[in-house]
Every structure is written in C-alpha cells, then in structure tokens.
Amino acid sequence: MKFIYKLLYRVLFLIPMGMVAQQTQDATTVFKKRVLETTEVDFLASYYSQDGNNAAVSGGIGTEELTDIAPTIIVSVPLNEDDVLTVELGVSAYTSASSSNVNPFDDSGSADPFQASSGASGSDVWTNLTASYSHSSDDRNTLWSGNISVSSEYDYFSAGAGGSYTRLFNEKNTEFSIKANVFIDTWNAIYPSELRPFGEGGNGLSNALFTQNTITGNPNYNPTFTKFQDEGRNSYSVGLGFSQILSKNLQGSLSLDFVQQQGLLSTPFQRVYFADVADSFIENFQLADDIERLPDTRFKIAVGGRLHYYINEIFALRSFYRYYTDDFGIQSHTASLEVPVKISDKFTLYPSYRYYTQTAADYFAPAEQHLSTQEFYTSDFDLSEYVANQFGFGIRYNDLFANTHIWKLGIKSVDLQYNTYARDSGLQSNLISFGMGFVMD
C-alpha cells in the first residue's frame, strides 16, 4: 500500500509540478523579448555647402567653395530573438571649386585660384557599403558586434573591419564597452597638373602646358618634384567607453580613443609655395613649388565625457566635452550643449551650440612661409590654429507605435536639423540634414 501511495503522490503532485516548471522554463525561452521586434529602415539625407579663401589645393589661397549631397539608407533585420543584421549604403556626391583647380589650365577661361575650372576633379562621388552583425546574450547584459565595410571614390579606395563588446552591470545602470577597427586604404595619387611633367619620366618645360602658355614672374620654373612611392595607408583604432546612471535624472559617460595611422598621410594634390623660391605664374595661377608632405605615421588620442540631465517632462540638458592631441602637434578642445524641449507627446525641439579650438600642426604654415629645405610642410588650413563656432536647431517627431504609414512602412521618427558653422579663418558652412525612421509591418 505504501508503494501505491507513493506512486499516486508522484503522479498527482511531483510530475505535474515538474511539468509546470519545465513549461515555465520553456516559456521563458519561447517568449524571450526580441532585441529588435521587426525590420527597421532609416533614410538619411543631407545638403552641405561651404565657402572660404584658404583652399589647400591651391596652397592655402583661393576659393574653398564646395557643395555636397549625401543620401544614406540603413536597414536593420532581426535574424532571431538575439541577433540583428544591419546593412548601410551611403553616397556622397560633391562639387568643389577648389578641387577643380587640380588642373586649372583647361582652356575654360583664365586660370585663377578664386575661380573654379571645368576639370574632371571638380566633382566626385563617394560610395560606402557597411554590414554589421550583433548578438545579445539571453539576459541582455552582453552585446557582441562585428562589421565590414568598403568605400571608394575616384582616387581612393578603403576596406575596413571591426568589432565591439559591451557589458552591462549593476542592474543595467553601469555599462562598459570596447571597440576596435582597422581600415586598409589605397590612393590613386593625382598630382597638380604643372608638377606632373617634372616627375620621373616627364619632359619638364617641353610639356605642352608650358610651350602653349607663357610663364610670368620667374620664367625658369623648375620644381624639384618626386611622386610618392607608397600609396597605401592603414588606420587602427581602439576605443573604450564607460557610462553610469548617477541618479534618476543624471547620466554620465567617459570615452578614451586611440588611433594609429601609417602610410601616405599627405594629400597628393595639395600645393605648397616656398618663401625661398621665386614665384612663377600661368595667367593668374601660381605654379606649385611642391605638394604637401607629412610624416608617414600619426598617433591620435581623444578623451571625452558626456553628462545628460533630465530637468522635467519638458526640458533636458545634453553636454559634451572632448580633449584631443596627436604627434603632429595639434591639441584641441570641443564643448557642446544641446537642450531638447518637448513641446508635445510627439514633437521635440533641440537647439544646440558647439565650440571648438585647436593649435596648429608643427608642419603648417600659410603660403610663401615654408622653406624648401624643410622635410615636412603643408598649407592646409584644417591643420592651422583656429576657433570655430557652430549653432544648430532641429525638430524631431516620434511615434513609438508607428501609426502613420507610407506603403507598408510605419513612420517611427522624423528629424529635420539645420547647422551653421564659422571659423575665425573665414571658412563658413551650412548643413541641412533630414532623417526618417520606419518599421516594417
């Protein structure tokens, strides 16, 4: 009888309890919250324009006029509960008055550094394709990701790969991350048109450019010019991140980034004019004494921090600071502040301000201030000492339920932003950016 009682006890109580426990465990697996519920599509586009009078292509003098249109589409696909595949395709199509002067002697009018020529280098299209894969642990406290990318334009090709690891602690209040990337780049070096005849195998002043045009100033133009032997460039980067929720209203984060570059770091078509070489001209364009020459290694360090403070249901503060230094001699400080203002459940305004200042690179000097005896030199004002201010204003629409549809895509968010930027060197630019986020039904 005792055996029968034990058997009945097992059948009526222990086995059903075990089945319930197993079902509960299975249910946890089956109904685990997905990292990404459905396919998301983001469309981004921007229009950028700038102008100034310090074009690096013409040795630090001349127009910096440029316009750029850059559409991008990003598709994120959930492969299962834990894994997401993201593919990004971006295009940047620009027209540049300064880069058109890589060859200013194209018979389209008088050559002048402040006027665009009609040369092929006046416009180009940059294309990028990036694919990334991410995996989250069951408890969503660990995230692994990897990516590969390729990009190209007329004179440049780049291939890259990277990955990241993120770990959350302290009930997801603390986050640590590490990321690493490598880019293998190759130039198809294009040089200023007047220097090409003086490279290896060139015919010097016997070239048609000089026989068909009159050289004024110093008529004995005879630059010492050699082409770059190595047209490759490798870049390696490692970044560390730490963020902490400090209170119900305050979150802070810190970042530390290292970048090592090796190879051709000079831009082959940027001219340099020497103080100790007599000037030569064709029409109104000064002929180059040489091209930009920089060291073939560069090490960069950046340290940054963010503080985000939630004031109330309407206002928030987002602040950022970064210090940067490299072995070219540049040191910079960046500080920015954004103040999102929630004007309704779906609309937010976000005015912003960014301040930037940097010291000059050791190898920078304006036109006619370098000496031909120096080893390295550049007149690119991006490497000069300057202060810049940027003001921005944006509006964002958010609909978590994506009730509004375009075809089979629900509109999740819409962003429109305008930024205006100015350096004390005279460069000014404007940027209009637009973005729409969709979820697929």
Side-chain angles (χ1 to χ4, degrees):
M1 292 295 292
K2 289 183 178 180
F3 172 79
I4 295 175
Y5 288 142
K6 288 181 179 179
L7 180 62
L8 289 173
Y9 181 81
R10 281 176 172 269
V11 172
L12 296 176
F13 294 98
L14 297 184
I15 293 178
M17 289 176 65
M19 292 175 63
V20 169
Q22 182 64 43
Q23 288 175 356
T24 302
Q25 183 178 356
D26 291 343
T28 301
T29 302
V30 172
F31 296 106
K32 179 172 56 177
K33 182 175 176 59
R34 299 169 69 91
V35 175
L36 185 66
E37 293 294 335
T38 185
T39 298
E40 296 188 356
V41 179
D42 292 293
F43 174 76
L44 312 173
S46 65
Y47 173 79
Y48 173 83
S49 65
Q50 71 171 44
D51 203 358
N53 296 314
N54 299 117
V57 173
S58 46
I61 55 177
T63 179
E64 294 178 89
E65 184 180 356
L66 178 147
T67 59
D68 179 87
I69 298 175
T72 300
I73 186 168
I74 304 171
V75 181
S76 299
V77 181
L79 302 178
N80 50 48
E81 292 89 348
D82 305 321
D83 303 320
V84 176
L85 175 66
T86 301
V87 178
E88 176 180 338
L89 175 63
V91 176
S92 176
Y94 73 84
T95 301
S96 170
S98 63
S99 68
S100 72
N101 282 326
V102 172
N103 179 16
F105 315 108
D106 54 7
D107 298 325
S108 62
S110 178
D112 191 306
F114 293 95
Q115 298 294 327
S117 75
S118 59
S121 57
S123 61
D124 199 0
V125 176
W126 173 86
T127 304
N128 171 262
L129 177 64
T130 300
S132 61
Y133 172 87
S134 64
H135 171 78
S136 294
S137 62
D138 289 340
D139 61 7
R140 301 298 184 252
N141 285 328
T142 304
L143 174 66
W144 293 90
S145 70
N147 66 82
I148 56 173
S149 65
V150 292
S151 59
S152 68
E153 54 186 313
Y154 181 73
D155 62 340
Y156 202 79
F157 178 82
S158 176
S164 67
Y165 169 80
T166 301
R167 178 68 179 171
L168 282 75
F169 304 92
N170 188 24
E171 298 182 346
K172 302 186 188 299
N173 289 319
T174 305
E175 180 181 305
F176 171 79
S177 65
I178 182 171
K179 61 182 179 180
N181 289 280
V182 58
F183 293 95
I184 310 300
D185 308 334
T186 303
W187 286 91
N188 177 21
I190 298 174
Y191 301 99
S193 56
E194 68 271 28
L195 290 177
R196 299 170 198 170
F198 295 91
E200 184 178 356
N203 55 354
L205 288 177
S206 299
N207 185 271
L209 172 64
F210 305 110
T211 59
Q212 296 176 11
N213 293 279
T214 300
I215 300 177
T216 59
N218 174 27
N220 299 316
Y221 180 63
N222 187 28
T224 301
F225 172 68
T226 57
K227 296 181 179 180
F228 293 112
Q229 298 301 310
D230 182 4
E231 295 185 352
R233 175 169 69 187
N234 300 339
S235 300
Y236 311 92
S237 66
V238 175
L240 303 174
F242 174 82
S243 68
Q244 177 67 47
I245 296 177
L246 302 170
S247 70
K248 66 178 183 179
N249 291 9
L250 182 64
Q251 180 185 24
S253 65
L254 297 172
S255 63
L256 177 62
D257 294 284
F258 304 93
V259 178
Q260 175 68 50
Q261 293 182 296
Q262 298 174 339
L264 180 52
L265 306 184
S266 308
T267 304
F269 51 76
Q270 294 186 170
R271 293 175 173 86
V272 170
Y273 301 120
F274 295 135
D276 56 344
V277 175
D279 300 340
S280 300
F281 297 84
I282 291 180
E283 296 173 347
N284 295 323
F285 200 94
Q286 185 175 348
L287 305 181
D289 294 326
D290 198 2
I291 56 174
E292 173 183 85
R293 298 192 185 271
L294 296 170
D296 59 6
T297 62
R298 187 177 186 182
F299 184 64
K300 309 175 183 179
I301 301 175
V303 182
R306 296 179 184 273
L307 277 177
H308 293 177
Y309 184 72
Y310 174 82
I311 300 175
N312 52 40
E313 293 183 354
I314 299 177
F315 297 100
L317 295 176
R318 297 176 179 173
S319 61
F320 171 74
Y321 170 78
R322 185 186 69 173
Y323 170 76
Y324 166 90
T325 183
D326 64 28
D327 55 6
F328 275 22
I330 293 178
Q331 296 184 15
S332 72
H333 300 272
T334 306
S336 65
L337 180 65
E338 183 179 278
V339 186
V341 182
K342 190 173 183 179
I343 58 176
S344 72
D345 290 340
K346 294 185 177 180
F347 287 94
T348 302
L349 305 178
Y350 49 103
S352 62
Y353 170 72
R354 178 179 180 271
Y355 173 83
Y356 179 83
T357 180
Q358 75 171 36
T359 60
D362 297 337
Y363 318 111
F364 170 82
E368 306 283 358
Q369 294 191 25
H370 286 294
L371 298 176
S372 59
T373 54
Q374 293 175 277
E375 182 180 7
F376 301 117
Y377 33 77
T378 178
S379 292
D380 183 351
F381 272 71
D382 286 346
L383 301 179
S384 70
E385 180 181 2
Y386 67 86
V387 173
N389 293 277
Q390 177 177 297
F391 297 90
F393 184 81
I395 183 169
R396 178 180 296 123
Y397 165 84
N398 278 309
D399 183 358
L400 296 179
F401 300 103
N403 293 319
T404 304
H405 284 70
I406 297 179
W407 189 52
K408 295 183 179 180
L409 299 175
I411 300 176
K412 187 176 181 180
S413 63
V414 181
D415 276 277
L416 181 63
Q417 187 172 19
Y418 169 75
N419 286 282
T420 181
Y421 170 90
R423 292 182 187 174
D424 58 2
S425 62
L427 177 70
Q428 294 185 327
S429 68
N430 295 281
L431 173 67
I432 300 173
S433 55
F434 172 78
M436 293 189 72
F438 302 91
V439 292
M440 187 171 291
D441 291 342

